[in-house]
Amino acid sequence: MTRAAPALSLPRPALAAALAALLAVPAAAQNGAHAAHPVEPPRVGAVLREGPVSVDGALDEPFWAQAPAATDFRQSDPREGEPATQRTEVRFAYDDAALYVGARMLDSLGGEGVRSRLARRDADAEGDWLELVFDTYHDHSGRTVFRVNPSGVKYDAGQAAPSADPSWDPVWEAEARRDSAGWTAELRIPFSQLRFTRDETQTWGLQVVRYVERLAERSHWAFWTKEEAGGPQRYGHLEGVRILSRPRGWEVLPYTLARASYVAPAQPGSPFHQPRDYDWRVGADVKALLGSNLTLSATVNPDFGQVEVDPAVVNLSAFETFFPERRPFFVEGSGLFGFGSFSCRFCSNVSSMSLFYSRRIGRRPQGLHGWETDFEQVPENTPILAAAKLTGRFAGGVQLGVLDAVTGSEHADYRTGTADFRREVEPLTNYLVARARRTSRSGNHTFGVMATSVARRFDYDSLSYQLPGHAESVGLDWSLAWKERTYTLMGNVAFSNVGGDSLAVVRLQNNSTHYFARPDRGGHGNGLFTDAYDPSLTSLRGHGGYLRVAKEAGAVRWESMVNYRSPGFEVNDMAFLTRADYVWMNTNVWRNWTRPTKYYREIGTVLGGQQQYNFDGDPTDRQVHLSGYVNFRNYWGAGAWVMRRPEVYDDRATRGGPVVRRTGASYFSVWGFTDSRKRVVLSSEPEFGFSDDGGHSAYVNLGMRFKPASNVSLSLSPSLRQSTGRSQYVARFDDPAAAHFAGHRVVFATLDQRTLSMDTRLQVTFTPTLSLELFAQPFVSSGEYYQFKEFDAPRGLAKTEYDAGQLTALRSAAGLDSVYVLDPDRDAATDAFTFRNPDFNLRSLRGNAVVRWEYRPGSTLFFVWQQSRSRRERFGDFDPLRDAEAVFLERPDNVFVVKATYWLGR
């Protein structure tokens, strides 16, 4: 049981004034300045295509003149609710195989008023655009998105899901052209690429959105105000599409790949290193439409290499760094396998429920050999033998997804002296995830279930002592809305079970996610769920959940939520979890003013707070925050936030030792951006923090985007982060003499850290199907540790710095401190402790270049060059010029890849 959490508080006069201002509703809003939504949604019919058609954007086929048009668009920006200033006409036709869309976008300045940019598919093309969103099951929940701009650049996301997935890449056609009246677009969308009901005559939900960049005007066919809850429930209707025969689509995407690698040895002199490595492979992805609702996706000898590199980071915490998935097979359709929607207007240090993190599949081998070796070669990734997905959506609002993947046993090579040997470092593993979700007919309620399983087969007992043999989880999630979706209740609950050898379970109990063996940790026995440390356990069980109630519409909105993970909750074999053992609470109230005035277009403010407790009842986080933003009439924007975090307990600082106190701190940030339509766009979001013990932090950055031509974009994002922390963890030792600290000696230090980086991206688009992208990230980070110290007692804040008689630095031949010797009690009869000098200087340069050519619909040719340079030194001073020069002197690792895919389908 947890202790009751005291409420966050502000001085009463200040709180009363803040709430009075926040809740005040202007008389104009009370008198209905925002128009009520129409009772009947707009409707448009589709006609049967007769005669030949050429998808060229010209709209010169006779059947377009017979089709009724969707018109009467209304603005959401800049003058909410008023008729669109530029007329839009969108018409629909169909035949046995496809839906056709013909759109005329008139412009008062003719073709001269149309703005457009070239970009690769699914990129932010900016300029003018037209977007169509279909609710193909007409169940008021699904979204399937198609967008085109005047240059013919395509964007798509889908399909038929509440959250449209941008990774979806159907094969469809779109052409656009400018003329003296504005611009036109013509689309052909095969029925085989869509999912819909079995009805012969279809009625689909439809939303059409047009954006005119020079006016910053966004207009909608089906309109609702910014203070109302919109979505598919408010879409118009596309009627009269007759589909007499169900599509039986199939797709085969074979690929060939050649790779050349030129990599420097990680261990100089290693007999396993190959300075040059050449390989090639062939494989295929297969998709088959089972009926009209289910799609089977399978892959044979898959290529799971990612085109874009992960950024460089310095992680000094006990927790794993999260990197997003970039591999196409896992990215496509990933929205269906998401679990436990999480929403928070303003919060920090919290994460949503995770039951599936696809980068666990094919991860770097986890096994450790446990003895000294001279050289070793451990594979970077585990091979994926095969993977398959079954996805679909049914007329009753049910979505289904099943994914299964098998990774092979992986071995590492070692040499000690003249003896070579191999050991298994990752076992044969099967990963399974199943997901089902049902949305009510009104689209207001959603219920879902998800289950995952990981099963391993070991060839060596030593590996079974390190990794669990199996792991399972099951979860339920829901979202309820009522009163025109003004109010919502969303949440989830999940249960986990991990089993294996007792040594593997002990490792789980003692890792940074749990710290079960913390000496001052409570425990409530080992019942159905694991709460107490027990080295004899062969399984670990836990549960977690999230619940949020909110008002989502109106000028004044609010939310309140709770998020928790029990001590034994463990899902890292299949998902991503940094810590368990907490109960987190948050409440926010915010007010938006969305009707433009002569001073602004929109402003808003948020007031709220949060707190967190572990299952022992210790408060481990509290904060109160206030933020605000303004969008100016010139389409610039600015904002600021301030946060106060008082002194609380920290059950993670000692990395498994006793609980200590964390000092209070204050943070503030300001941010701003310029008009994104201009040739040069600037943005910045500096952040500053000050802790009560004298520590401080500062982060400054500048985002710069240059658009010298309609097909060229250059982005530069330099940033500098500097911090001084008074309680940086260094090392921990078991020391019976440290009776004042439960037999633990935990060393901390003051850390001065500086990080300088600059993300650079160049995008050149030659045609909508041919593009070049360059990415480079120079990165320098240094950390200098000094004033080594330890806490005087558990659950306290006071610390004592070691003097010269307790801590001695041993210098290397290079004159650098290489090892520290710690004798805290100055007693020669007791053991001294040694730890490596933690100072660091990391220099890195990562980059890649990708040429992408879609030489025919669905078929793509890639040319990829990846390069990385890095070096880590044992000194902590910061010299950007020296370090930047040094990184370019490092020998680079180069990888060249040529990959070709060829789409076959109907």
Side-chain angles (χ1 to χ4, degrees):
M1 298 290 292
T2 60
R3 293 201 296 258
L8 293 172
S9 62
L10 288 173
R12 290 190 176 182
L15 179 60
L19 288 177
L22 193 65
L23 298 176
V25 180
Q30 295 174 358
N31 294 330
H34 286 74
H37 64 84
V39 176
E40 287 295 326
R43 299 173 182 271
V44 66
V47 301
L48 179 66
R49 180 185 71 81
E50 296 179 350
V53 62
S54 174
V55 181
D56 55 9
L59 304 183
D60 51 4
E61 291 83 2
F63 64 84
W64 286 127
Q66 303 170 9
T71 59
D72 299 329
F73 284 59
R74 297 172 66 188
Q75 298 181 51
S76 59
D77 285 307
R79 289 176 287 277
E80 185 180 14
E82 295 186 11
T85 64
Q86 311 300 308
R87 181 173 174 81
T88 304
E89 301 173 354
V90 183
R91 294 175 168 84
F92 300 87
Y94 66 94
D95 58 21
D96 291 340
L99 177 72
Y100 297 84
V101 183
R104 157 64 68 183
M105 280 63 67
L106 298 169
D107 195 294
S108 57
L109 298 183
E112 296 298 322
V114 177
R115 295 185 180 181
S116 185
R117 292 187 59 82
L118 270 176
R120 71 170 180 85
R121 179 174 178 172
D122 289 343
D124 184 5
E126 298 183 320
D128 295 5
W129 48 260
L130 181 78
E131 179 176 276
L132 301 106
V133 187
F134 298 101
D135 175 13
T136 53
Y137 284 94
H138 204 206
D139 58 7
H140 306 103
S141 66
R143 293 177 171 89
T144 303
V145 181
F146 297 91
R147 183 191 301 169
V148 65
N149 79 347
S151 298
V153 176
K154 298 190 296 186
Y155 171 92
D156 40 57
Q159 69 164 316
S163 298
D165 183 359
S167 67
W168 179 60
D169 282 328
V171 178
W172 58 290
E173 299 175 63
E175 293 293 340
R177 60 173 60 186
R178 302 187 206 191
D179 56 26
S180 60
W183 66 286
T184 57
E186 197 169 20
L187 288 65
R188 181 183 184 274
I189 306 170
F191 289 133
S192 64
Q193 303 296 300
L194 302 174
R195 303 294 177 263
F196 39 82
T197 67
R198 295 180 178 274
D199 299 336
E200 180 178 301
T201 301
Q202 299 280 317
T203 296
W204 294 352
L206 172 66
Q207 174 66 294
V208 186
V209 185
R210 180 185 176 185
Y211 181 68
V212 182
E213 187 185 64
R214 67 180 173 85
L215 303 175
E217 180 177 302
R218 186 188 303 263
S219 57
H220 298 251
W221 182 55
F223 175 79
W224 56 85
T225 70
K226 295 178 182 178
E227 293 184 1
E228 296 177 288
Q233 296 89 341
R234 303 286 299 277
Y235 285 2
H237 296 154
L238 172 62
E239 301 173 325
V241 178
R242 299 190 65 200
I243 304 177
L244 301 179
S245 61
R246 312 301 302 174
R248 292 291 187 268
W250 56 265
E251 299 178 18
V252 179
L253 191 70
Y255 80 87
T256 60
L257 179 146
R259 177 185 287 107
S261 302
Y262 306 89
V263 179
Q267 297 174 298
S270 171
F272 306 117
H273 176 69
Q274 297 292 332
R276 298 177 180 85
D277 187 28
Y278 307 98
D279 66 282
W280 64 277
R281 63 192 304 167
V282 296
D285 295 336
V286 180
K287 289 184 181 181
L289 183 61
L290 309 181
S292 61
N293 303 105
L294 289 175
T295 301
L296 176 65
S297 304
T299 183
V300 180
N301 194 27
D303 169 43
F304 284 126
Q306 60 187 57
V307 172
E308 189 167 353
V309 297
D310 293 322
V313 296
V314 174
N315 185 352
L316 301 180
S317 74
F319 309 117
E320 180 183 5
T321 299
F322 179 88
F323 291 109
E325 178 63 86
R326 304 185 191 276
R327 298 171 296 180
F329 178 82
F330 292 112
V331 169
E332 184 177 358
S334 59
L336 176 58
F337 293 98
F339 177 81
S341 297
F342 183 90
S343 179
C344 183
R345 183 73 175 188
F346 193 118
C347 53
S348 59
N349 297 329
V350 65
S351 60
S352 60
M353 177 69 73
S354 171
L355 293 186
F356 177 49
Y357 177 44
S358 57
R359 286 188 69 148
R360 297 299 187 213
I361 302 174
R363 69 194 300 175
R364 182 178 177 85
Q366 306 171 77
L368 303 173
H369 53 72
W371 58 84
E372 292 293 331
T373 60
D374 296 327
F375 301 102
E376 61 184 39
Q377 179 171 269
V378 180
E380 292 186 3
N381 302 100
T382 304
I384 300 175
L385 303 181
K389 289 186 292 188
L390 181 68
T391 59
R393 184 180 178 90
F394 301 89
V398 176
Q399 289 180 274
L400 176 68
V402 179
L403 183 149
D404 191 83
V406 179
T407 59
S409 173
E410 189 60 273
H411 293 73
D413 296 307
Y414 303 96
R415 171 171 290 187
T416 300
T418 59
D420 292 344
F421 55 93
R422 306 191 79 202
R423 284 293 184 269
E424 184 183 39
V425 288
E426 188 72 25
L428 179 70
T429 307
N430 186 83
Y431 297 88
L432 174 66
V433 55
R435 177 71 158 131
R437 184 166 53 199
R438 184 182 187 279
T439 302
S440 67
R441 187 64 181 175
S442 66
N444 290 332
H445 312 311
T446 301
F447 299 90
V449 61
M450 186 168 182
T452 69
S453 171
V454 178
R456 297 186 172 99
R457 189 184 74 186
F458 300 101
D459 290 338
Y460 289 87
D461 289 341
S462 60
L463 195 56
S464 70
Y465 301 153
Q466 302 177 43
L467 303 177
H470 63 89
E472 300 83 30
S473 71
V474 61
L476 304 173
D477 60 349
W478 61 88
S479 177
L480 310 175
W482 64 95
K483 199 175 181 180
E484 299 286 342
R485 298 198 304 127
T486 298
Y487 299 95
T488 62
L489 177 68
M490 69 168 61
N492 58 73
V493 62
F495 304 89
S496 67
N497 177 69
V498 181
D501 189 272
S502 60
L503 293 177
V505 176
V506 164
R507 291 189 67 194
L508 290 178
Q509 293 183 77
N510 290 330
N511 68 19
S512 60
T513 303
H514 305 282
Y515 289 138
F516 264 94
R518 201 180 70 232
D520 55 352
R521 185 181 175 276
H524 311 289
N526 295 315
L528 178 61
F529 300 107
T530 310
D531 287 329
Y533 177 65
D534 185 347
S536 67
L537 289 179
T538 57
S539 65
L540 195 66
R541 299 188 182 96
H543 54 96
Y546 166 75
L547 186 67
R548 174 183 183 262
V549 60
K551 181 176 181 286
E552 303 280 19
V556 179
R557 309 184 190 190
W558 52 263
E559 64 184 1
S560 187
M561 68 200 78
V562 61
N563 192 42
Y564 83 96
R565 307 290 182 267
S566 78
F569 188 72
E570 170 57 50
V571 291
N572 273 313
D573 289 278
M574 190 67 156
F576 188 91
L577 175 70
T578 55
R579 63 164 295 170
D581 190 11
Y582 69 85
V583 178
W584 173 92
M585 294 154 278
N586 177 284
T587 297
N588 292 303
V589 182
W590 64 95
R591 172 75 161 94
N592 293 326
W593 290 263
T594 61
R595 292 193 62 82
T597 71
K598 64 180 180 179
Y599 303 108
Y600 62 83
R601 292 191 301 115
E602 183 177 348
I603 61 173
T605 184
V606 180
L607 173 65
Q610 71 180 44
Q611 56 188 354
Q612 177 176 287
Y613 286 75
N614 62 21
F615 273 59
D616 288 336
D618 298 322
T620 55
D621 183 38
R622 283 179 182 154
Q623 76 178 41
V624 61
H625 48 256
L626 176 66
S627 71
Y629 74 93
V630 56
N631 290 331
F632 297 107
R633 296 283 295 183
N634 64 351
Y635 297 94
W636 288 36
W641 57 260
V642 61
M643 177 194 305
R644 172 61 185 174
R645 307 182 71 188
E647 185 179 309
V648 292
Y649 289 107
D650 192 337
D651 58 0
R652 293 297 192 267
T654 58
R655 311 284 176 96
V659 169
V660 293
R661 295 285 283 180
R662 186 183 70 213
T663 186
S666 300
Y667 304 89
F668 71 92
S669 173
V670 295
W671 53 266
F673 59 86
T674 63
D675 188 346
S676 63
R677 300 171 300 165
K678 302 300 183 181
R679 189 177 296 271
V680 177
V681 183
L682 303 176
S683 64
S684 183
E685 189 176 356
E687 180 181 326
F688 306 92
F690 303 91
S691 59
D692 296 345
D693 62 0
H696 55 86
S697 63
Y699 170 77
V700 292
N701 72 320
L702 179 62
M704 299 176 288
R705 188 178 180 204
F706 306 98
K707 297 176 280 188
S710 63
N711 67 326
V712 179
S713 174
L714 173 63
S715 299
L716 302 173
S717 301
S719 66
L720 174 65
R721 187 182 299 273
Q722 188 279 332
S723 65
T724 297
R726 302 297 183 185
S727 301
Q728 176 61 44
Y729 172 87
V730 177
R732 184 169 75 93
F733 309 98
D734 292 331
D735 184 2
H740 68 293
F741 214 70
H744 292 265
R745 187 75 64 180
V746 187
V747 181
F748 292 84
T750 297
L751 169 63
D752 285 344
Q753 185 177 0
R754 297 173 176 83
T755 300
L756 177 66
S757 69
M758 185 169 71
D759 291 357
T760 305
R761 293 183 183 274
L762 173 65
Q763 297 175 326
V764 182
T765 308
F766 305 101
T767 72
T769 59
L770 177 62
S771 63
L772 166 66
E773 293 183 81
L774 300 174
F775 169 77
Q777 186 207 36
F779 179 92
V780 176
S781 184
S782 69
E784 182 178 7
Y785 291 75
Y786 59 98
Q787 293 178 350
F788 294 88
K789 66 200 76 172
E790 65 180 49
F791 280 86
D792 293 343
R795 310 184 73 80
L797 188 61
K799 295 180 285 290
T800 298
E801 185 178 337
Y802 299 127
D803 60 30
Q806 296 172 296
L807 186 68
T808 305
L810 302 181
R811 293 186 174 272
S812 66
L816 301 175
D817 294 341
S818 58
V819 175
Y820 286 96
V821 179
L822 174 62
D823 186 11
D825 57 8
R826 300 184 180 87
D827 186 351
T830 61
D831 292 334
F833 307 98
T834 61
F835 57 91
R836 192 175 182 182
N837 172 26
D839 289 352
F840 65 88
N841 182 282
L842 175 64
R843 312 145 179 175
S844 169
L845 175 62
R846 299 187 180 194
N848 64 354
V850 180
V851 174
R852 182 183 187 275
W853 178 31
E854 189 174 353
Y855 58 92
R856 64 186 298 269
S859 304
T860 309
L861 183 63
F862 294 94
F863 298 91
V864 183
W865 170 36
Q866 294 182 348
Q867 184 181 100
S868 63
R869 307 165 184 252
S870 65
R871 186 176 182 85
R872 189 183 183 103
E873 302 281 6
R874 283 288 169 184
F875 53 82
D877 64 313
F878 183 70
D879 187 336
L881 295 179
R882 175 201 64 194
D883 297 334
E885 180 181 359
V887 74
F888 282 99
L889 297 177
E890 294 297 324
R891 175 180 170 179
D893 293 341
N894 290 293
V895 177
F896 300 91
V897 177
V898 178
K899 179 180 179 180
T901 66
Y902 190 87
W903 183 84
L904 300 169
R906 66 176 179 88

